[in-house]
Amino acid sequence: MVIVMKLGSKDTEVNEVAKILESLGLGIHISQGAERTIIGVIGDKRVLSDVPLELMSGVEKLVPIVESYKLAGKTFRPEPSIVDVSGVKIGGKELVIIAGPCAVESREQILEAARAVKKSGAHILRGGAYKPRTSPYAFQGLEAEGLKLLLEAKEETGLPIITEVTSEKAVEIAEPYVDMFQVGARNVQNFQLLREIGRSGKPVLFKRGASTTIDEWLNAAEYIMNEGNYNVVLCERGIRTFETATRNTLDLSAVPVVKNMSHLPIIVDPSHAAGKSIYVGPLSKAAVAAGADGLIIEVHPNPKCALSDAAQQLTPDSFDILCKDIAKIAEILGREFKNAQ
Amino acid sequence: MVIVMKLGSKDTEVNEVAKILESLGLGIHISQGAERTIIGVIGDKRVLSDVPLELMSGVEKLVPIVESYKLAGKTFRPEPSIVDVSGVKIGGKELVIIAGPCAVESREQILEAARAVKKSGAHILRGGAYKPRTSPYAFQGLEAEGLKLLLEAKEETGLPIITEVTSEKAVEIAEPYVDMFQVGARNVQNFQLLREIGRSGKPVLFKRGASTTIDEWLNAAEYIMNEGNYNVVLCERGIRTFETATRNTLDLSAVPVVKNMSHLPIIVDPSHAAGKSIYVGPLSKAAVAAGADGLIIEVHPNPKCALSDAAQQLTPDSFDILCKDIAKIAEILGREFKNAQ
Amino acid sequence: MVIVMKLGSKDTEVNEVAKILESLGLGIHISQGAERTIIGVIGDKRVLSDVPLELMSGVEKLVPIVESYKLAGKTFRPEPSIVDVSGVKIGGKELVIIAGPCAVESREQILEAARAVKKSGAHILRGGAYKPRTSPYAFQGLEAEGLKLLLEAKEETGLPIITEVTSEKAVEIAEPYVDMFQVGARNVQNFQLLREIGRSGKPVLFKRGASTTIDEWLNAAEYIMNEGNYNVVLCERGIRTFETATRNTLDLSAVPVVKNMSHLPIIVDPSHAAGKSIYVGPLSKAAVAAGADGLIIEVHPNPKCALSDAAQQLTPDSFDILCKDIAKIAEILGREFKNAQ
Amino acid sequence: MVIVMKLGSKDTEVNEVAKILESLGLGIHISQGAERTIIGVIGDKRVLSDVPLELMSGVEKLVPIVESYKLAGKTFRPEPSIVDVSGVKIGGKELVIIAGPCAVESREQILEAARAVKKSGAHILRGGAYKPRTSPYAFQGLEAEGLKLLLEAKEETGLPIITEVTSEKAVEIAEPYVDMFQVGARNVQNFQLLREIGRSGKPVLFKRGASTTIDEWLNAAEYIMNEGNYNVVLCERGIRTFETATRNTLDLSAVPVVKNMSHLPIIVDPSHAAGKSIYVGPLSKAAVAAGADGLIIEVHPNPKCALSDAAQQLTPDSFDILCKDIAKIAEILGREFKNAQ
């Protein structure tokens, strides 16, 4: 960190700041510029997280030099991490496809979806049991009943399952059923939930919030990792911007940026970003070409009858065609998608 | 709602849509335009919330005509609501000031803060016991101990107290202590939490999320009201934009917009929006001039020693001067701030 | 367009609105809903562009049903347009690559760049002669001298040339030299400039503004097309969001959205969006996979010595490798990039 | 500026950077941190504006310490500037009100508007002669004819006049007529136009762009000031965000932020930000309470017949009432609005 002193700050003010830093065991480096004095701070800045240096007399601002997260960063682990979800490895050579309906709606629906996505090469089955919806008058999920149906689909197809958890209680209930938790965009800074998932140790798909910077996202991942759970897979799903033609603006730059700043795997959710099924294909291919480690795609046996987010779910047939295209792009990128036929 | 059919859609497609709407008990009105056919839908659209009309053959898009929230809207209640917090009325003629430190840090700190803000005319005491922080390495609040200290401050000063709750468990723990819950920006769409607060019936200060539209915010309030708790006070606290000179961009237009669309009271938090104490004064005055029903301002007996958000907390002296100015502006707006001296 | 009347509006108010519409030759369709009356308007809404219906007594709001642009839309021309730039066809089967340095800096630099990008398969040479820069103290381009050097590079390599024009005067000066104009993001709504380019009839690469919605962008294109110049190629180059890890957020969804709404070709500029050369490769591949008709990439013989935007320019060697990868992805998408070796 | 070297950068890399800086006459200060080496740069950084240090081997990033603008900053002139517009002083004790119709539409309309706003206390008359409109099919202004009508209104009422100029040609044409130029939001980075206005020396109302940061805005002002024209008045008019309830989000924080960073006066345009006349009153009062030096408000003798932006223009009567309220708030802020009755 660098502390920038105000124009015309006095030596006594500079010394005051220096004294505090030294008392906390930090090294300092004072540099007298043409206009301003700056103080470089050396050492572990975590001791400063609750010290309001910016309020000290003569201080203009603090400029961070290195990122504030540790465990999620490349400094902590320079090599890419691979997260193992009941045998499926995310972050390795194989491109991983998570697919399934937005919400579990019925036994028949989830089984049919599971068979279809398995046939096309998907590695993990998704299905929402707890659905956070903008309006309280919309379908909110089958809850515990949905988890049982997911498990049945797993038993039949052998696909590991993932579901979204939206509260500490849901973590407790879902834990025995699922292979991977999902934290949705709205809960990216629900720190109690993140700690609970951290304690569980189970792999987690951690979606970016609609208005979360990459830096804040990695700091939030730190809440999970700080509890000892390093099985975090990031998921870009679109950010909120002024553009209204799509539900969100998919930020595919986040893929190479995260690869540059973190060792964690990153996959992409084109369905929620686009909000319309006709855009899912192009964005899926783009995500793979940008270097994503996988995709999470909504597939419904009969989208027209879906109880939530109907407009963005693919039919099994379109999903099958998409998987074939994706496999070819993956190959050009030096990756594999062996499951696809 | 209006359903816009695609260019060149067929009569059979229009009829198909009409049939579904009628089967749900809705009225319809078909209008053949120069380029497109549109279908007006008449009746309670809540029956449509899970029907994916946009996937039907020939349908181009759905255009909502009226807002999707009900209880929070002016159609439901045209007159402004007044929320009673242990005798303090928010939304009436008196401008209500909530003040206190960002976080409860110690017995001495919260008592000193309480006495100071009471003296300057504040109506309600704030203080965080559970602090959601961007980094897990920062101070996270005194939790239950903080609640006891708040209660002590209430007993001494007579000021009702408000604290943020960040999980269903925190609601349970805090309920016996506080007069009003606060839901923070990060939890604006934590629907489980909202329902829990709805069930409690206690007044709630409901902050807008950093990337929540006013429409989504009112829909989220609906989660609380739908459980029977109508004691909701909205709080504008800044939205996330591309501008980085302030922590958030305070959207003061939200004040007249909410007054135009909803009967719920709305107050403003200039402290979190600005992120710097020098901006709190001008923004507080602006908020009152824009017609806000009150303010929530961070005041700390000694900001330089604050354990969180130090840079944005006012000293008791600056707060006192600010209250005097605010009282004068309130008067011009036809309101009162009697407590201020 | 649909006109939504206020709750409780009177019949006389509805009739008043109806009368005005009919006097303008428009058809109407009145629909009495449960809560509100709505009036559907039939006919060419351009006659309404300066009639403030929203101010009439009893009117709550106007809801547009179809887009406001005409010539840029699919209704006007359902088939994709192909723009011919001195023999290079943009929007057809061949993926078109525009490449070259950010700015023309010297004879040697532009010639060397031209030869390099030609060798790797680029179709058109880019190079800025007029550089709009955030600070007036930065290099502003060689102006007329730069145009002559571009022409020399064209004569040697046979590549058509494109340069940015930032004023009506620049259009006049550049016209005899270049094969295609570029309108930069900052001038997307510089309507005088757009009209001037419209009158010239020359092909134009029309960049999206950093905060322009796709709808506004297509409306702005209408300014060019309305003068009779249909040779418009759109270029997505990143929008301004809250994220600061990249210079802009590349909105690749814009590719399928534009393909869905307009017949105009669309290419992508990954260099300005990313702001860093290490992100250019992944984003270029992603853009092609998303269905873009081409790319515009900054390539500099020696980026370390570049006078502007150095950080985002590729070396000829990285560009060459990238072209080979892109050619393979193009093939999977059913396109060609024959020039690439 | 501080140069942050990469983790594990070599001494030779640090020396290489140091050498270049010294060769440019800059001082340096090397600081070896726990994780990284940083190099403080001392001296006038304008010599670095075209040196791509970030591409040098071992360099991770550059961190600016002081703002890049000079003439617009407080370092250059610590005291507030007062801009004189034909006798009206903006930035002094008197709150300055600019008012008039969005566009000049007819002789009768502009004269009537001028008399009305003069009567209520306005200091300067506004009226658009060149109207940049989103769609080419909307009214584009009376151009030169509009200027003549404005002049006639000036001669009758004695009010100085301001009009928007959208191109270098318009500057030339408007110069003999107007007392102050206006640069609109869309032209905030039309640098050719800014230089032309800089050369004219005439006072200019310089609106912020819809997606311009305050830092970029002040840098753009630098283009005008760098030509010797210091008569710049800034104007906040709303920024583009995800919120759609208002046309733009008025960023009133910009008022105290600009006051903190620059000596230039700043006024507020509530009309364009709000987009609806019912919001103009609350936002005008809020702007004055936030410390703005003035307001620019759209007033039309008969808004229902306005040819552009009808929905946001006040009637003379509402404007008169607003002026009275504003005068009272100004007084509380220690300012005057003497003209108001």
Side-chain angles (χ1 to χ4, degrees):
Chain A
M1 193 175 62
V2 161
I3 299 169
V4 182
M5 301 300 289
K6 283 185 183 148
L7 201 69
S9 62
K10 292 172 213 141
D11 283 1
T12 52
E13 292 169 331
V14 174
N15 292 339
E16 203 62 40
V17 175
K19 221 189 301 173
I20 284 210
L21 295 170
E22 285 171 338
S23 76
L24 291 162
L26 296 167
I28 59 159
H29 212 111
I30 298 177
S31 161
Q32 205 87 31
E35 291 179 356
R36 272 159 236 239
T37 298
I38 65 174
I39 305 176
V41 185
I42 299 159
D44 186 344
K45 268 64 119 204
R46 278 182 279 185
V47 303
L48 286 176
S49 61
D50 298 319
V51 181
L53 293 168
E54 66 272 45
L55 292 188
M56 293 192 68
S57 182
V59 171
E60 181 170 312
K61 62 178 170 185
L62 311 184
V63 180
I65 294 300
V66 291
E67 60 285 353
S68 52
Y69 48 86
K70 296 281 157 195
L71 305 173
K74 279 228 162 157
T75 309
F76 175 73
R77 186 188 285 179
E79 293 310 305
S81 290
I82 292 179
V83 173
D84 187 319
V85 182
S86 306
V88 174
K89 293 188 168 53
I90 308 182
K93 199 177 181 190
E94 177 83 3
L95 187 85
V96 173
I97 309 298
I98 305 176
C102 177
V104 181
E105 294 165 8
S106 70
R107 188 170 174 277
E108 192 182 30
Q109 173 244 22
I110 189 67
L111 287 180
E112 203 177 324
R115 285 172 207 135
V117 304
K118 160 99 177 184
K119 189 161 152 277
S120 299
H123 304 78
I124 299 177
L125 175 68
R126 65 151 287 151
Y130 301 87
K131 301 301 306 170
R133 303 294 297 278
T134 302
S135 162
Y137 308 120
F139 173 65
Q140 310 272 332
L142 295 182
E143 311 207 342
E145 179 58 23
L147 294 172
K148 283 179 204 151
L149 296 175
L150 275 174
L151 192 59
E152 197 178 330
K154 173 185 176 174
E155 279 160 3
E156 188 189 310
T157 59
L159 293 175
I161 55 180
I162 178 172
T163 211
E164 181 173 355
V165 284
T166 55
S167 69
E168 293 163 84
K169 281 180 195 168
V171 171
E172 240 173 82
I173 299 171
E175 189 155 17
Y177 292 92
V178 302
D179 299 276
M180 186 177 209
F181 290 127
Q182 178 181 312
V183 173
R186 293 183 178 94
N187 285 305
V188 67
Q189 293 190 320
N190 183 338
F191 300 129
Q192 310 268 20
L193 178 63
L194 301 187
R195 280 201 207 92
E196 189 70 22
I197 283 172
R199 283 187 286 266
S200 86
K202 205 180 265 283
V204 55
L205 185 68
F206 187 43
K207 289 200 171 178
R208 181 179 183 183
S211 71
T212 309
T213 61
I214 294 171
D215 187 79
E216 288 168 339
W217 189 19
L218 292 172
N219 263 295
E222 201 85 357
Y223 270 89
I224 302 171
M225 300 176 82
N226 198 33
E227 302 290 334
N229 183 355
Y230 290 11
N231 300 309
V232 177
V233 176
L234 300 168
C235 178
E236 161 64 31
R237 46 72 76 198
I239 57 174
R240 171 152 271 178
T241 70
F242 59 82
E243 178 58 69
T244 55
T246 43
R247 190 167 166 173
N248 292 281
T249 297
L250 188 66
D251 178 12
L252 283 181
S253 319
V255 174
V257 169
V258 161
K259 292 270 168 219
N260 194 35
M261 295 165 78
S262 172
H263 54 88
L264 297 173
I266 176 167
I267 74 165
V268 170
D269 173 353
S271 307
H272 280 86
K276 282 190 192 159
S277 58
I278 52 164
Y279 300 145
V280 171
L283 292 177
S284 295
K285 293 176 208 168
V288 174
D293 295 305
L295 296 167
I296 176 164
I297 297 178
E298 296 200 345
V299 180
H300 192 287
N302 188 358
K304 287 186 197 175
C305 300
L307 292 183
S308 65
D309 286 348
Q312 70 198 26
Q313 304 193 52
L314 294 189
T315 60
D317 284 352
S318 340
F319 178 66
D320 195 63
I321 294 168
L322 180 57
C323 283
K324 289 180 172 55
D325 282 348
I326 283 171
K328 288 182 210 151
I329 296 177
E331 210 192 316
I332 292 169
L333 275 277
R335 306 193 80 128
E336 291 176 350
F337 178 11
K338 280 191 219 155
N339 283 1
Q341 327 257 318
Chain B
M1 192 176 63
V2 162
I3 300 171
V4 182
M5 301 299 289
K6 283 185 185 148
L7 200 70
S9 63
K10 292 172 211 138
D11 284 0
T12 52
E13 293 169 330
V14 174
N15 294 338
E16 203 62 38
V17 175
K19 221 188 305 173
I20 285 211
L21 294 169
E22 287 170 337
S23 76
L24 291 162
L26 297 166
I28 58 160
H29 212 111
I30 299 178
S31 162
Q32 205 85 32
E35 290 181 358
R36 272 159 237 238
T37 298
I38 65 174
I39 306 175
V41 185
I42 300 158
D44 185 344
K45 269 64 122 205
R46 278 182 280 185
V47 302
L48 285 175
S49 62
D50 299 318
V51 181
L53 293 168
E54 68 270 45
L55 292 188
M56 292 191 68
S57 184
V59 171
E60 181 170 312
K61 61 178 171 186
L62 311 184
V63 180
I65 295 300
V66 291
E67 61 286 352
S68 52
Y69 48 87
K70 296 280 157 197
L71 306 172
K74 280 225 161 158
T75 309
F76 175 74
R77 184 187 287 178
E79 294 310 305
S81 290
I82 292 180
V83 173
D84 187 318
V85 182
S86 306
V88 175
K89 292 188 168 53
I90 308 182
K93 200 178 181 190
E94 176 84 1
L95 187 84
V96 174
I97 308 297
I98 305 175
C102 176
V104 181
E105 294 165 9
S106 70
R107 188 170 175 278
E108 191 182 31
Q109 173 245 20
I110 188 67
L111 287 179
E112 204 177 324
R115 286 172 205 136
V117 304
K118 160 98 176 182
K119 190 161 151 278
S120 299
H123 305 77
I124 299 177
L125 175 68
R126 63 152 287 151
Y130 300 86
K131 301 301 305 170
R133 304 294 298 278
T134 303
S135 161
Y137 309 120
F139 174 65
Q140 310 274 330
L142 294 182
E143 312 206 343
E145 179 58 22
L147 295 171
K148 284 179 201 150
L149 296 176
L150 275 174
L151 193 58
E152 197 177 331
K154 172 185 177 174
E155 281 159 2
E156 188 188 312
T157 59
L159 294 175
I161 54 179
I162 180 174
T163 210
E164 180 173 355
V165 283
T166 55
S167 69
E168 294 164 83
K169 282 179 193 168
V171 171
E172 240 173 83
I173 299 171
E175 190 153 17
Y177 294 90
V178 301
D179 299 277
M180 186 178 210
F181 290 126
Q182 178 182 311
V183 172
R186 292 184 179 93
N187 285 305
V188 68
Q189 292 191 321
N190 183 338
F191 301 127
Q192 310 269 19
L193 179 63
L194 301 186
R195 280 202 208 91
E196 189 70 23
I197 284 171
R199 285 188 285 264
S200 85
K202 203 180 266 285
V204 55
L205 185 68
F206 186 42
K207 290 200 170 177
R208 180 179 184 184
S211 70
T212 308
T213 62
I214 294 171
D215 186 79
E216 288 168 339
W217 189 18
L218 292 172
N219 264 296
E222 200 85 357
Y223 270 90
I224 302 171
M225 301 176 82
N226 198 33
E227 301 290 334
N229 183 356
Y230 289 12
N231 300 309
V232 177
V233 176
L234 300 169
C235 178
E236 161 64 32
R237 44 74 74 198
I239 57 174
R240 170 152 274 177
T241 70
F242 60 81
E243 178 58 68
T244 55
T246 43
R247 192 167 163 172
N248 291 283
T249 297
L250 189 66
D251 178 11
L252 283 181
S253 320
V255 174
V257 170
V258 162
K259 293 269 169 221
N260 194 36
M261 296 164 77
S262 173
H263 55 87
L264 297 173
I266 175 166
I267 74 165
V268 170
D269 173 353
S271 307
H272 279 88
K276 282 190 193 160
S277 58
I278 52 164
Y279 300 145
V280 170
L283 292 178
S284 295
K285 293 175 207 168
V288 173
D293 295 303
L295 296 168
I296 175 165
I297 298 179
E298 297 201 344
V299 180
H300 192 286
N302 189 357
K304 286 187 198 177
C305 299
L307 293 183
S308 65
D309 286 348
Q312 72 198 27
Q313 303 194 54
L314 294 189
T315 60
D317 284 353
S318 340
F319 178 66
D320 194 63
I321 294 168
L322 180 56
C323 282
K324 290 180 171 57
D325 282 348
I326 284 171
K328 289 181 209 151
I329 296 177
E331 211 191 316
I332 292 170
L333 275 277
R335 306 194 80 128
E336 293 175 349
F337 176 13
K338 280 192 219 154
N339 283 1
Q341 328 255 320
Chain C
M1 191 175 63
V2 161
I3 299 171
V4 183
M5 301 299 290
K6 282 184 186 151
L7 200 68
S9 62
K10 293 171 211 139
D11 283 0
T12 52
E13 292 169 331
V14 174
N15 293 339
E16 202 61 39
V17 175
K19 219 188 304 172
I20 284 211
L21 295 170
E22 286 170 337
S23 76
L24 290 163
L26 297 166
I28 58 161
H29 213 112
I30 299 178
S31 160
Q32 205 87 31
E35 292 181 355
R36 271 158 236 237
T37 298
I38 66 174
I39 305 175
V41 185
I42 299 159
D44 185 344
K45 270 64 123 203
R46 278 181 281 185
V47 302
L48 286 175
S49 62
D50 299 319
V51 181
L53 293 168
E54 66 271 43
L55 292 188
M56 293 192 68
S57 184
V59 171
E60 181 170 311
K61 63 178 169 185
L62 312 184
V63 180
I65 294 300
V66 290
E67 60 286 351
S68 53
Y69 48 86
K70 295 281 157 197
L71 306 173
K74 280 225 163 159
T75 309
F76 175 74
R77 185 186 288 177
E79 294 310 305
S81 290
I82 292 180
V83 173
D84 187 316
V85 182
S86 308
V88 174
K89 292 187 168 54
I90 308 183
K93 199 177 182 194
E94 176 84 1
L95 187 84
V96 173
I97 307 298
I98 306 175
C102 177
V104 181
E105 294 165 8
S106 70
R107 188 170 176 279
E108 190 181 32
Q109 174 245 21
I110 189 67
L111 287 180
E112 203 177 325
R115 285 172 207 138
V117 304
K118 159 98 177 184
K119 190 162 152 276
S120 300
H123 304 78
I124 299 177
L125 175 67
R126 63 151 288 153
Y130 300 86
K131 300 302 305 171
R133 304 294 298 277
T134 303
S135 162
Y137 308 121
F139 174 65
Q140 311 273 333
L142 295 182
E143 312 206 342
E145 178 59 21
L147 294 171
K148 284 179 202 151
L149 296 176
L150 274 175
L151 192 59
E152 196 178 333
K154 173 186 176 173
E155 280 160 2
E156 188 188 312
T157 59
L159 294 175
I161 55 180
I162 178 174
T163 211
E164 181 173 354
V165 284
T166 55
S167 69
E168 293 163 83
K169 281 180 195 169
V171 171
E172 238 173 86
I173 298 171
E175 190 154 16
Y177 293 92
V178 301
D179 299 276
M180 186 178 209
F181 290 126
Q182 178 182 312
V183 173
R186 291 184 179 94
N187 285 306
V188 68
Q189 292 190 320
N190 183 338
F191 300 128
Q192 309 268 20
L193 179 63
L194 301 187
R195 279 201 208 93
E196 188 70 24
I197 284 172
R199 284 188 284 266
S200 85
K202 206 180 263 285
V204 55
L205 186 68
F206 187 42
K207 289 199 171 182
R208 181 180 183 182
S211 70
T212 309
T213 61
I214 293 171
D215 187 78
E216 289 169 337
W217 190 18
L218 292 173
N219 264 296
E222 201 84 358
Y223 269 90
I224 302 171
M225 300 175 82
N226 198 33
E227 301 290 335
N229 183 356
Y230 289 11
N231 299 309
V232 177
V233 177
L234 300 168
C235 178
E236 160 65 31
R237 45 73 75 196
I239 57 174
R240 170 152 272 180
T241 70
F242 60 82
E243 178 59 67
T244 55
T246 43
R247 189 166 166 174
N248 292 284
T249 298
L250 189 66
D251 178 11
L252 283 181
S253 320
V255 175
V257 170
V258 162
K259 293 268 167 220
N260 194 35
M261 295 165 77
S262 173
H263 55 88
L264 297 173
I266 176 167
I267 74 165
V268 171
D269 173 352
S271 306
H272 280 86
K276 282 189 193 161
S277 58
I278 53 164
Y279 300 145
V280 171
L283 292 177
S284 295
K285 293 176 208 168
V288 173
D293 295 306
L295 295 168
I296 177 163
I297 298 178
E298 296 199 345
V299 181
H300 192 287
N302 189 358
K304 287 187 196 176
C305 300
L307 293 183
S308 66
D309 286 348
Q312 72 199 26
Q313 303 193 52
L314 294 189
T315 61
D317 284 353
S318 340
F319 178 66
D320 194 63
I321 294 168
L322 179 57
C323 283
K324 289 180 171 56
D325 282 348
I326 284 171
K328 289 181 209 152
I329 295 177
E331 211 192 314
I332 291 170
L333 276 277
R335 304 193 82 126
E336 292 174 349
F337 178 11
K338 279 192 219 154
N339 283 1
Q341 330 256 318
Chain D
M1 191 176 62
V2 161
I3 300 170
V4 182
M5 302 298 291
K6 283 186 183 147
L7 200 70
S9 63
K10 293 173 211 137
D11 284 1
T12 51
E13 292 170 330
V14 174
N15 293 338
E16 202 63 38
V17 175
K19 221 188 304 173
I20 283 210
L21 294 171
E22 287 171 336
S23 75
L24 290 162
L26 297 165
I28 59 161
H29 212 111
I30 298 177
S31 161
Q32 205 86 32
E35 290 181 356
R36 271 158 235 237
T37 297
I38 66 173
I39 305 176
V41 185
I42 300 158
D44 186 343
K45 268 65 119 204
R46 278 182 279 185
V47 302
L48 285 176
S49 62
D50 299 320
V51 181
L53 292 168
E54 67 271 44
L55 291 188
M56 293 192 68
S57 182
V59 171
E60 182 170 311
K61 62 178 170 185
L62 311 185
V63 179
I65 295 301
V66 291
E67 61 287 351
S68 52
Y69 49 85
K70 296 283 157 195
L71 306 172
K74 280 225 162 158
T75 309
F76 175 74
R77 184 187 287 177
E79 294 309 306
S81 289
I82 292 179
V83 173
D84 187 318
V85 182
S86 307
V88 175
K89 291 188 170 52
I90 308 182
K93 200 177 181 191
E94 176 83 2
L95 188 84
V96 173
I97 308 297
I98 305 175
C102 177
V104 181
E105 293 165 9
S106 70
R107 188 170 174 278
E108 190 181 34
Q109 173 245 22
I110 189 68
L111 286 179
E112 203 177 325
R115 287 172 206 135
V117 304
K118 161 98 177 183
K119 188 161 153 278
S120 299
H123 305 76
I124 299 177
L125 175 67
R126 64 151 288 151
Y130 300 86
K131 301 302 305 171
R133 304 293 298 278
T134 303
S135 161
Y137 308 121
F139 174 64
Q140 311 274 330
L142 295 182
E143 313 207 340
E145 179 58 21
L147 294 172
K148 284 178 203 151
L149 297 175
L150 274 174
L151 193 58
E152 196 177 332
K154 173 184 175 174
E155 280 160 3
E156 186 188 313
T157 58
L159 294 175
I161 54 179
I162 178 174
T163 210
E164 180 173 354
V165 283
T166 55
S167 68
E168 294 163 83
K169 281 179 195 168
V171 171
E172 240 172 83
I173 299 171
E175 190 153 18
Y177 294 91
V178 302
D179 299 277
M180 186 179 209
F181 290 126
Q182 178 181 313
V183 173
R186 293 185 178 92
N187 285 306
V188 67
Q189 292 190 321
N190 183 339
F191 301 127
Q192 310 268 19
L193 178 62
L194 302 187
R195 278 200 208 92
E196 189 69 23
I197 284 172
R199 283 187 286 265
S200 85
K202 205 179 265 283
V204 56
L205 186 67
F206 187 43
K207 289 202 170 178
R208 181 180 182 183
S211 71
T212 308
T213 62
I214 294 172
D215 187 79
E216 289 168 339
W217 189 19
L218 292 172
N219 263 296
E222 200 85 358
Y223 269 91
I224 302 171
M225 301 176 81
N226 198 33
E227 301 290 334
N229 183 355
Y230 289 11
N231 300 309
V232 177
V233 177
L234 300 168
C235 178
E236 162 63 31
R237 46 74 73 198
I239 57 173
R240 169 151 274 178
T241 69
F242 59 83
E243 178 59 67
T244 54
T246 43
R247 189 167 166 172
N248 292 283
T249 298
L250 188 66
D251 178 12
L252 283 181
S253 319
V255 174
V257 170
V258 162
K259 293 268 170 221
N260 194 35
M261 296 164 77
S262 174
H263 54 88
L264 297 173
I266 176 167
I267 74 165
V268 170
D269 173 352
S271 307
H272 279 88
K276 282 189 192 160
S277 59
I278 53 164
Y279 300 146
V280 171
L283 292 178
S284 295
K285 294 175 207 168
V288 174
D293 295 305
L295 295 168
I296 176 164
I297 298 178
E298 296 199 345
V299 181
H300 192 286
N302 189 357
K304 287 188 198 176
C305 299
L307 292 183
S308 65
D309 285 349
Q312 71 199 27
Q313 304 193 54
L314 294 189
T315 61
D317 285 352
S318 341
F319 177 66
D320 194 62
I321 295 168
L322 179 57
C323 283
K324 289 180 171 56
D325 282 348
I326 283 171
K328 290 182 208 151
I329 296 177
E331 210 191 316
I332 292 169
L333 275 277
R335 305 194 81 128
E336 293 175 350
F337 177 12
K338 279 190 219 155
N339 284 0
Q341 330 256 318

